[in-house]
């Protein structure tokens, strides 16, 4: 039942991603084009307006970037076509770019993730996505590490950082990110362990039994 709910949520996200892309994306592109055309005309007839038209362009460009970012979160584009490994790599890379060297994000994958059912791949991707967002928001870490291991009997995912965390946060107390991770893990009959690293930092351990893979496939 809960797995069904999560699948419904993914369907809804896909729908939203499509709508955002098709509706908002087109409108913003149109605004941008009109602003460029105003700037062009104003250049000849009313130079004072050029700066204002350019301003509209910059705002719509910024909104387009936000929409693109949101689309990436709603529906990781490569997950369907290129698989989990490529998708995680580009997620980690995008955080490295965004952090500008403040936090160094690393990814290691052992085992074959091409055989994972899509639903499970989406779950793992969503968990890593939330962990990395949390690291950038809360940890002030210099290093963050994502390790995914696919073995015969289980999948383990460990996300660690060397940031400021000195005690395990109470799940659900401030936000819903960790809560969502826990729900996803429980629904796949897995185990979630939160611990504190030495001397400080946060460690999230997820273990999903292969049974979960079979269930997710059903
Ligand atoms: N890597 C981390 N380092 C330090 N503190 C963390 C880390 N991850 C989570 N936390 C703490 O745990 C709390 C709960 O995290 P959670 O993801 O559930 O909520 P949030 O990130 O605050 O909000 P939301 O995820 O709903 O946007 C955070 O508010 C933060 O205090
Ligand atoms: Mg969070």
């Amino acid at each position: 039942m809960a797995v069904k709910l999560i699948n419904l949520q993914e369907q809804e996200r896909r729908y939203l991603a499509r709508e955002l892309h098709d509706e908002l994306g087109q409108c913003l592109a149109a605004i941008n084009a009109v602003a460029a055309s105003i700037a062009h005309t104003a250049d000849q007839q009313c130079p004072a307006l050029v700066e204002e038209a350019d301003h509209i362009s910059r705002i719509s460009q910024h909104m387009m970037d936000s929409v693109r970012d949101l689309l990436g979160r709603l529906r990781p584009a490569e997950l369907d076509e290129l698989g989990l490994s490529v998708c995680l790599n580009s997620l980690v890379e995008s955080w490295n770019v965004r952090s500008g060297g403040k936090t160094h994000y690393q990814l290691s994958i052992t085992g074959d993730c091409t055989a994972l059912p899509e639903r499970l791949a989406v779950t793992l991707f969503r968990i890593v996505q939330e962990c990395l967002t949390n690291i950038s928001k809360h940890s002030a870490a210099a290093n963050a590490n994502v390790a995914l291991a696919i073995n015969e009997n289980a999948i383990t995912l460990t996300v660690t950082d060397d940031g400021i965390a000195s005690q395990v946060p109470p799940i659900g107390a401030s936000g819903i990110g960790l809560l969502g991770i826990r729900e996803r893990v429980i629904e796949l009959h897995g185990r979630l362990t939160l611990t504190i690293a030495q001397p400080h930092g946060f460690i999230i351990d997820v273990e999903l039994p292969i049974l979960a893979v079979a269930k997710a496939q059903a």
Side-chain angles (χ1 to χ4, degrees), residues 130 134-135 137-139 161 164-165 169 172 174-179 202:
E130 175 57 25
N134 275 351
I135 288 171
K137 279 204 299 192
H138 309 297
S139 78
D161 69 68
I164 56 169
S174 57
I176 56 165
L178 290 177
L179 198 64
F202 199 30

Side-chain angles (χ1 to χ4, degrees), residues 26-133:
Q26 305 295 321
C27 290
L28 287 170
I31 290 173
N32 222 1
V34 173
S37 156
I38 293 174
H40 183 73
T41 310
D43 198 32
Q44 314 289 322
Q45 295 165 19
C46 183
L49 277 182
V50 171
E51 173 51 28
E52 290 179 49
D54 284 347
H55 194 181
I56 295 176
S57 275
R58 284 198 299 278
I59 295 172
S60 64
Q61 188 59 51
H62 175 77
M63 284 178 74
M64 276 203 264
D65 290 345
S66 306
V67 168
R68 196 164 305 123
D69 196 50
L70 203 58
L71 281 176
R73 289 175 145 269
L74 284 168
R75 181 183 181 165
E78 304 106 330
L79 201 52
D80 295 352
E81 298 107 45
L82 302 176
L84 182 62
S85 158
V86 170
C87 218
L88 285 177
N89 262 300
S90 78
L91 179 68
V92 167
E93 212 27 63
S94 74
W95 276 114
N96 271 322
V97 170
R98 249 177 271 180
S99 103
K102 231 177 68 210
T103 307
H104 180 54
Y105 295 85
Q106 264 186 313
L107 169 72
S108 73
I109 300 179
T110 56
D112 177 18
C113 47
T114 56
L116 293 180
E118 199 205 339
R119 286 172 204 176
L120 197 55
V122 170
T123 295
L124 288 165
F125 183 82
R126 292 285 178 219
I127 293 175
V128 174
Q129 205 172 26
E130 175 57 25
C131 289
L132 297 188
T133 304

